[in-house]
Amino acid sequence: MANTILTSDILAREALLILENNLVMGNLVDRRYEGEFSSGRQGDAIRIRRPASFSVNEFTNNGSNTVNTQNATEFSTTLTLEKFFDVSFQVTAKEMALSIDDFSANLMQPAMAAMAQELDAYILSKHVEIGGNAEKAAGGTQIATLADVAKVVQRLNEQKAPMSGRSLVVSPKVMTALFGISEFAQAQQRGDGGTALREASLGRFMGLDIYMDQNVTTHTAGTMRSDSDRAALAIHSDSNGTTKGNNTIKIDDANASASTMVVGDVIRITHSGASKTHDYSIVATGATVSYSGFDSGTTVTISPPLYEDVATNDVVEFVMTATGLEQSIAFNSNAIAMAMVPLDEPMGPGTDSSVVSHNGYSMRASITYNHAKKIDEVSLDVLCGAKVVQPEMAVRLPTSAA
């Protein structure tokens, strides 16, 4: 009789409402892609096109000149439903007989708070695909002045990220540091109550909507951080003439260093031909998780693709000298995509199951009676994937976690 009071449909709706209200990152990223998945199976993937890159040439109409026709090469990335998050717990007949308000307060809210933390941490872990770095210093010194915040905005501007829809998501330590900046503390707009998104809001400042998220992740850097040549690496001769838009290069270390770079490390390339400097993150391909032995011109895969052409001996710098740094991120809403796709209802008998979707979120709730234990079991699960689809629209703010 208890199960007729709280059904799986009621639980799914309540769980989804609580989850949506507890998420920070989930409410800030691009959510356009759920409809492109044909089914809700872990491992399903879609290809997302990235805009083509062009250069503008000045044309002189003298009767003999011809236009410079460019190849419209489009790049793409893959968004995979790679995470299957679940919260399951046992409930007594007495608990199942509670009103939905009491049941929510005692069980659903703690369960969905844990789910929201896991989802936010998962999205924030994608910082390894973001190349732009707005460090105050190579050692990850904590921000302390208005100029430190301005550097984040500068990086976004240099990477030509759209001015609208910009957010900065910071760790609790960075939040404390921000309030130590008088210009920030005196800003009038502050977040108010209502949802976790608003409660996490620190207001709008310098064109950024700023939020605190307890799930900001840290990055463990490769040993190149302490190598004497970290600021004197170079583009290998095999990569000479590699054009903008490519995402693989070869790097040389003149001293045959055995130091390593790992996924998520940031390198800074001085493009001599364009007299510009840009940041790139080292990313994995296949089973590759680290790179070493740079004397022979090791091939590395980078994100974003090259902003400019590279030439032999263009300077490559390993940016940070510290490890375990928190990775707060600033981004345009189109930089990171997340998809949460409805799961199929279980086929087996004896389970009351419902799937509810709202605002791009989807939750499956199942209630099963365990005859051996004489108790009901509630399972709440989601299937999702996240990907940095336009890395040039995001930057990292690495700061000490100590």
Side-chain angles (χ1 to χ4, degrees), residues 69-87:
T69 303
Q70 303 173 51
N71 293 323
T73 303
E74 286 188 317
F75 298 93
S76 63
T77 189
T78 302
L79 175 59
T80 303
L81 299 176
E82 60 183 351
K83 294 296 182 180
F84 195 168
F85 293 125
D86 169 84
V87 178

Side-chain angles (χ1 to χ4, degrees), residues 57-206:
N57 301 297
E58 185 176 356
F59 178 72
T60 301
N61 191 355
N62 59 8
S64 60
N65 285 347
T66 58
V67 297
N68 181 21
T69 303
Q70 303 173 51
N71 293 323
T73 303
E74 286 188 317
F75 298 93
S76 63
T77 189
T78 302
L79 175 59
T80 303
L81 299 176
E82 60 183 351
K83 294 296 182 180
F84 195 168
F85 293 125
D86 169 84
V87 178
S88 296
F89 50 91
Q90 296 179 338
V91 293
T92 64
K94 181 178 180 180
E95 288 170 328
M96 289 298 291
L98 292 171
S99 68
I100 185 59
D101 290 340
D102 291 336
F103 189 89
S104 177
N106 293 344
L107 297 169
M108 299 291 278
Q109 291 183 24
M112 288 302 97
M115 180 78 79
Q117 290 176 8
E118 194 69 25
L119 280 164
D120 269 352
Y122 165 57
I123 299 171
L124 286 162
S125 73
K126 297 298 179 179
H127 73 263
V128 298
E129 300 170 12
I130 297 171
N133 222 54
E135 78 284 357
K136 177 180 179 179
T141 308
Q142 186 60 264
I143 62 172
T145 67
L146 188 64
D148 297 335
V149 183
K151 190 169 185 178
V152 177
V153 179
Q154 176 186 344
R155 283 290 183 189
L156 286 171
N157 292 340
E158 289 172 344
Q159 294 176 190
K160 298 181 175 59
M163 298 294 292
S164 61
R166 290 182 176 184
S167 299
L168 171 61
V169 177
V170 302
S171 69
K173 289 183 182 296
V174 176
M175 180 190 74
T176 301
L178 284 171
F179 281 120
I181 301 172
S182 59
E183 294 90 345
F184 181 84
Q186 293 167 7
Q188 294 299 310
Q189 181 180 345
R190 285 291 174 265
D192 56 5
T195 68
L197 186 63
R198 291 176 183 164
E199 290 168 356
S201 174
L202 305 180
R204 186 166 178 81
F205 190 66
M206 299 185 73

Side-chain angles (χ1 to χ4, degrees), residues 263-280:
V263 172
D265 285 343
V266 174
I267 57 173
R268 183 165 291 156
I269 301 177
T270 300
H271 298 266
S272 60
S275 298
K276 293 181 180 179
T277 300
H278 291 291
D279 294 343
Y280 304 92

Side-chain angles (χ1 to χ4, degrees), residues 3 17 21 45 73 89 100 107 126 159 169 181 208 213 217 246 248 273 290 292 306 343 354 369 375 378 385:
N3 285 353
L17 175 64
N21 285 343
T73 303
F89 50 91
I100 185 59
L107 297 169
K126 297 298 179 179
Q159 294 176 190
V169 177
I181 301 172
L208 301 167
D213 195 313
T217 54
N246 282 279
T248 58
S290 67
S292 63
L306 289 170
L343 286 158
S354 296
Y369 185 70
I375 199 168
V378 174

Side-chain angles (χ1 to χ4, degrees), residues 246-328:
N246 282 279
N247 67 346
T248 58
I249 55 174
K250 287 190 175 183
I251 298 177
D252 247 348
D253 182 350
N255 292 329
S257 170
S259 296
T260 61
M261 293 184 188
V262 299
V263 172
D265 285 343
V266 174
I267 57 173
R268 183 165 291 156
I269 301 177
T270 300
H271 298 266
S272 60
S275 298
K276 293 181 180 179
T277 300
H278 291 291
D279 294 343
Y280 304 92
S281 181
I282 303 294
V283 295
T285 55
T288 303
V289 294
S290 67
Y291 301 93
S292 63
F294 292 92
D295 59 300
S296 58
T298 299
T299 300
V300 298
T301 306
I302 58 173
S303 174
L306 289 170
Y307 288 102
E308 309 288 346
D309 299 352
V310 293
T312 301
N313 292 329
D314 277 357
V315 175
V316 179
E317 176 187 359
F318 190 92
V319 176
M320 305 306 295
T321 60
T323 189
L325 300 179
E326 292 183 330
Q327 304 290 313
S328 299

